[in-house]
Each structure stands twice: as C-alpha cells, then as structure tokens.
Amino acid sequence: MIKTIIFDMDGVIVDTEPVHKYAYYKHFDELGIDVTPEMYASFTGNSTRNVFQKLKEHFGLTHDVEDLILRKRFFFNDAFDTKEDLELIAGVKALIVDLYQNDVQLILASSASKGTIQRVFTRFELFPYFTDIVSGEDFPKSKPDPAIFLHAASLSKAPKEQCAIIEDSTSGVRAACAADIFCIAYHSENSKLQDLTGASFFVKDFNEVNAAVIQTVKQL
C-alpha cells in the first residue's frame, strides 16, 4: 500500500505554466532570441537555472545565468501577483485533503524555486498538508536526473517501495523511473507535448480519484 505521495507542483497542483510561459517569452523577446514551441516544451520539468544554462549555450548568450534567472523571476512574480484567475488544478485540493485525512504522508518535490513554492503554498494554504518541501534550487541537475526524487523519498516515513510520485512531464516521469519509484502520470491539457511513457498509472481528472484509489493503485 502506498503511504507517501511525492507531488510535483507546476502542472500537477497549480497551473502556473501559462504564467511561466508569459514570463519566459517576455524575457526571450527582451533577449532577442527565437525559442520554438518544441524547444520550450523540452524545458518542462527543468529548473529555471538549467533552462538558462541550455539557452545560454544554444544561443551563445553572454549574460550571467544568475542575472537571467532574476530577470525572468521578476516577470513571473509580477504576473503571479496580478493574475487573479490563477487556480489550483481541478480536484487536486480535495485529493490532497483526502490523502492527508487518511494518514498518507505528502511531500513536494518541485523544480520550481523556493520563492515560487512559497507564493503558491501561501496563496492556496497548502503548508499544513505537507511534511516536507523540496525545491529544485538545491540540486545541480534538473529532472530527469533522479536526485530530487531520491532525496524526497529519503524524507518519507515509509520505505521507497511504498512511495509514489505524481508527475505531468516527460522529464518528471523519467526522473521517477530513474529513481525506481512508482509513478502516477497526470495527463492534462498542458501535457499534450509530453511523453509520459514509463508511468504505471494515469489520471486525467483528479475528481475521479481519491485516497482509497491512490493508496491501492500499485495493486490495480
């Protein structure tokens, strides 16, 4: 039985992808670089630092990576604070509460910065439900490198075999597989360009699952 759920955040708990995309492309325009939709889709699940490291190499940018991060973060924070229609993914809050009430440990393992996680968790009052929060800021490599998930699993009160990861991106699913942790893929509108091959269970609507389903999903 699954006793710990490790959640990704962007695209799984909250749909911040449109805000990230707005911030990135506003910055791309400022930098004068042409990032194709295919290239942008390949960045899903990567930390902002890794994205700009790749962009710097690809486009020959001379800017310091830290300066690029701060500029993009400025655009994101400004949009996040003014976007009133930003909401949690449908059904996910009820699932989080149900899991919590059924004594399932919840851990966040997100490529997002600590600042972004803080903003999301404060705005939607999620802190009480999670025992631990892990940010991609603390790891030199982004997903699909499994380090973030291996660390999250080490914080679990249960063995790794009783953990499951909920992800929505190619890199996230690959990281879960590399960590040898059971993966539940959330297949949303935003994951159309993502290859979720490797996940063992698929969810299209969080309203259709509850703690009882999630806890026994490895037995289905």
Side-chain angles (χ1 to χ4, degrees):
M1 178 179 286
I2 292 173
K3 295 185 178 180
T4 300
I5 295 291
I6 300 170
F7 275 88
D8 178 40
M9 187 178 76
D10 288 329
V12 173
I13 292 178
V14 64
D15 187 9
T16 56
E17 174 51 30
V19 186
H20 280 293
K21 188 172 184 178
Y22 164 83
Y24 270 121
Y25 273 91
K26 194 170 180 64
H27 196 195
F28 297 159
D29 287 343
E30 188 176 78
L31 293 169
I33 59 176
D34 182 19
V35 177
T36 65
E38 292 75 20
M39 181 183 288
Y40 183 79
S42 73
F43 296 150
T44 302
N46 281 221
S47 68
T48 305
R49 177 171 285 99
N50 285 150
V51 169
F52 280 118
Q53 286 170 341
K54 292 176 181 178
L55 288 172
K56 183 172 181 176
E57 180 178 346
H58 183 83
F59 290 102
L61 300 175
T62 58
H63 306 69
D64 185 79
V65 169
E66 295 305 316
D67 291 336
L68 292 169
I69 292 170
L70 289 174
R71 186 60 174 162
K72 182 267 178 176
R73 194 167 292 164
F74 168 80
F75 289 130
F76 176 86
N77 291 342
D78 182 64
F80 184 93
D81 290 339
T82 58
K83 189 172 176 55
E84 296 180 358
D85 60 343
L86 184 67
E87 296 292 343
L88 294 179
I89 299 295
V92 76
K93 181 67 175 286
L95 176 60
I96 287 171
V97 172
D98 192 36
L99 289 166
Y100 175 81
Q101 291 177 339
N102 281 275
D103 298 320
V104 178
Q105 181 184 12
L106 304 181
I107 297 173
L108 185 81
S110 170
S111 296
S113 67
K114 294 174 185 176
T116 298
I117 294 170
Q118 176 78 26
R119 285 171 180 270
V120 170
F121 270 55
T122 298
R123 180 165 177 167
F124 297 107
E125 301 178 339
L126 296 174
F127 281 113
Y129 304 104
F130 288 76
T131 61
D132 299 276
I133 292 173
V134 184
S135 165
E137 270 190 344
D138 294 329
F139 301 86
K141 294 182 179 179
S142 284
K143 306 167 189 175
D145 187 275
I148 188 171
F149 286 146
L150 290 171
H151 179 68
S154 76
L155 301 173
S156 171
K157 298 174 183 176
K160 190 172 73 169
E161 293 72 26
Q162 292 180 317
C163 295
I165 293 166
I166 302 181
E167 261 288 356
D168 73 320
S169 71
T170 301
S171 58
V173 171
R174 289 178 180 172
C177 292
D180 194 26
I181 300 174
F182 188 88
C183 185
I184 300 170
Y186 173 57
H187 204 302
S188 68
E189 286 296 309
N190 287 334
S191 59
K192 285 181 178 178
L193 295 176
Q194 301 300 306
D195 179 4
L196 304 180
T197 302
S200 299
F201 189 79
F202 293 83
V203 175
K204 289 188 176 180
D205 185 347
F206 284 126
N207 288 302
E208 297 177 354
V209 294
N210 56 25
V213 172
I214 295 295
Q215 283 181 289
T216 59
V217 72
K218 291 184 73 172
Q219 303 168 22
L220 298 179

